[in-house]
Amino acid sequence: MCLFEGKNIIAVTSRVLCPRPLWEQIPRIREAGITRVILREKDLSSGEYLSLAEKVLRACEECGVSLTIHSFPEAAESLGVKSLHMPLPLMEKDLCRCFSSLGTSVHSIEQLREAESLGVTYVTAGHIFATDCKKDLAPRGPGFLSDICENTDLPVYAIGGITPENLPEVLLCGAKGACIMSSAMRL
């Protein structure tokens, strides 16, 4: 079932979409060829997030999947995870000293420039295609993705409505890879 093997896909979590405990989904994600997960459960308290992250980290380590913590730098530090993804408004310049991989999401060239100035090592750009996660917002489209990719040397990962069918178009825009949520949670 190596649907995404070698395609540089990042699974972004949403435990409410997952039919099983999130840590039990990690082996399925790995079987699909995905080797990186962003634990994006932003609605949890810091204690709840840390508890979940401990279980997900164990599953990731057992399966050979890299874990990126989202929005909780203290949890990352506590767990020894050196990969962090933060919303741009919460990003601080000093974070680049603490993490070997530091990313944020951008929705414009201006945000891209701000992210670069804060020392990020990658960006996600989106949302590219229509997605249930952003029903009320029009997608930015492949042209937007091309603009972001052409204006940075950072690795860019497309996010929003990415499917195996539209992934080749995303890669043609210059993206290093893509992030998927719904399909990764339902594997």
Side-chain angles (χ1 to χ4, degrees), residues 4-183:
F4 296 108
E5 192 72 47
K7 297 199 173 141
N8 218 351
I9 300 295
I10 300 170
V12 180
T13 70
S14 174
R15 70 190 187 290
V16 299
L17 297 176
C18 194
R20 63 194 50 81
L22 198 51
W23 55 92
E24 291 179 10
Q25 188 67 12
I26 302 303
R28 291 170 174 264
I29 288 169
R30 181 61 191 104
E31 286 172 15
I34 300 170
T35 59
R36 186 169 168 199
V37 170
I38 295 177
L39 185 62
R40 188 185 180 265
E41 309 299 323
K42 297 189 300 184
D43 63 313
L44 297 176
S45 70
S46 59
E48 293 167 326
Y49 186 94
L50 180 59
S51 177
L52 177 62
E54 288 171 341
K55 294 172 186 167
V56 171
L57 177 59
R58 265 194 307 275
C60 286
E61 289 172 343
E62 289 171 7
C63 294
V65 172
S66 298
L67 178 63
T68 298
I69 297 295
H70 191 296
S71 299
F72 290 94
E74 301 84 12
E77 290 176 28
S78 172
L79 296 170
V81 174
K82 294 297 183 189
S83 182
L84 179 69
H85 190 97
M86 289 290 288
L88 189 57
L90 301 178
M91 185 71 72
E92 299 171 10
K93 190 153 184 85
D94 289 343
L95 287 174
C96 65
R97 293 186 203 142
C98 303
F99 297 95
S100 57
S101 174
L102 180 63
T104 194
S105 299
V106 298
H107 310 289
S108 68
I109 296 294
E110 293 77 25
Q111 288 182 349
L112 173 64
R113 294 294 171 245
E114 182 180 354
E116 289 172 328
S117 75
L118 292 168
V120 301
T121 58
Y122 74 92
V123 295
T124 60
H127 69 283
I128 305 305
F129 301 107
T131 175
D132 287 343
C133 298
K134 308 266 186 194
K135 285 182 183 178
D136 298 334
L137 291 174
R140 290 181 171 82
F144 162 78
L145 180 59
S146 292
D147 286 346
I148 294 293
C149 293
E150 290 168 6
N151 279 283
T152 189
D153 291 329
L154 291 172
V156 177
Y157 294 85
I159 192 166
I162 309 300
T163 65
E165 293 76 26
N166 63 29
L167 182 59
E169 183 177 5
V170 163
L171 298 175
L172 283 173
C173 291
K176 178 171 178 86
C179 299
I180 61 170
M181 180 185 287
S182 300
S183 57

